[in-house]
Amino acid sequence: MQSTPDIIQSDIVKQQQDVYWQPLTDGVPAQPVKLLVITTPLTVNSAEEAQLQKIIQACKLDATDYYIYTLEHATAWHQLRDRLQPQAVLLFGVLPQQLGISAMFGLYHPNRFDDAIWIPSISIAEMEKHPDTKKQLWVDGLKPVFIDKTIGNI
């Protein structure tokens, strides 16, 4: 009688994929938010952190309406989704693949995926080097969702 191979230790599923089955361990609260911001690591009290706060303020969100998650290593989207139940997800310098998602999103535009509106962007540090992208993110992505409310009901 042959035994069934352990799929996690096979050539089909690589060890780096194990992270997508691990629970969140970094203090993410269990509360629904309107906006989940997922960003690459930011330096505390940096220009990038100040710019992120300006972007959130421009969206007219209260402190309880959003959560900023700093992605330091691959994290399972389903873990974040189940814990925070976001209506919108704003990605700064984070690829969907880093969240275990096999999808392509249009940059700076709202994309519907998994019952949320996703708005991907380059990192805040890169955005500071290219002011036209900051304007495009606002005009095409954030303003229609959070100010005009023509996309989604947030």
Side-chain angles (χ1 to χ4, degrees):
M1 183 172 154
Q2 291 182 330
S3 64
T4 306
D6 183 357
I7 194 167
I8 299 301
Q9 295 181 11
S10 75
D11 291 336
I12 296 170
V13 179
K14 305 289 184 208
Q15 188 174 9
Q16 64 262 28
Q17 301 295 322
D18 287 346
V19 70
Y20 301 116
W21 284 273
Q22 301 297 321
L24 292 174
T25 58
D26 53 4
V28 177
Q31 66 181 34
V33 293
K34 290 182 181 180
L35 175 64
L36 170 59
V37 178
I38 305 175
T39 182
T40 54
L42 302 172
T43 305
V44 177
N45 297 323
S46 65
E48 291 87 9
E49 187 178 62
Q51 184 61 44
L52 176 57
Q53 288 303 318
K54 287 179 187 177
I55 291 169
I56 292 170
Q57 288 172 356
C59 293
K60 304 209 183 293
L61 296 172
D62 295 330
T64 59
D65 290 339
Y66 66 92
Y67 182 77
I68 299 171
Y69 183 79
T70 302
L71 188 75
E72 296 187 26
H73 52 80
T75 301
W77 157 243
H78 69 92
Q79 297 282 353
L80 291 168
R81 178 199 62 210
D82 294 349
R83 183 87 53 96
L84 295 166
Q85 303 168 18
Q87 296 174 7
V89 180
L90 179 55
L91 301 175
F92 281 113
V94 175
L95 299 174
Q97 293 80 5
Q98 293 173 278
L99 301 169
I101 297 172
S102 295
M104 293 179 63
F105 299 133
L107 275 175
Y108 319 117
H109 294 276
N111 300 266
R112 292 188 186 272
F113 177 79
D114 200 17
D115 294 326
I117 297 171
W118 293 67
I119 306 170
S121 176
I122 58 177
S123 70
I124 296 173
E126 281 299 310
M127 191 179 300
E128 290 301 310
K129 297 175 188 174
H130 306 283
D132 54 323
T133 59
K134 189 186 323 182
K135 182 178 180 183
Q136 185 177 4
L137 174 63
W138 175 251
V139 171
D140 296 340
L142 299 173
K143 189 172 181 268
V145 173
F146 295 102
I147 304 302
D148 300 338
K149 299 188 185 292
T150 55
I151 299 173
N153 188 19
I154 300 173

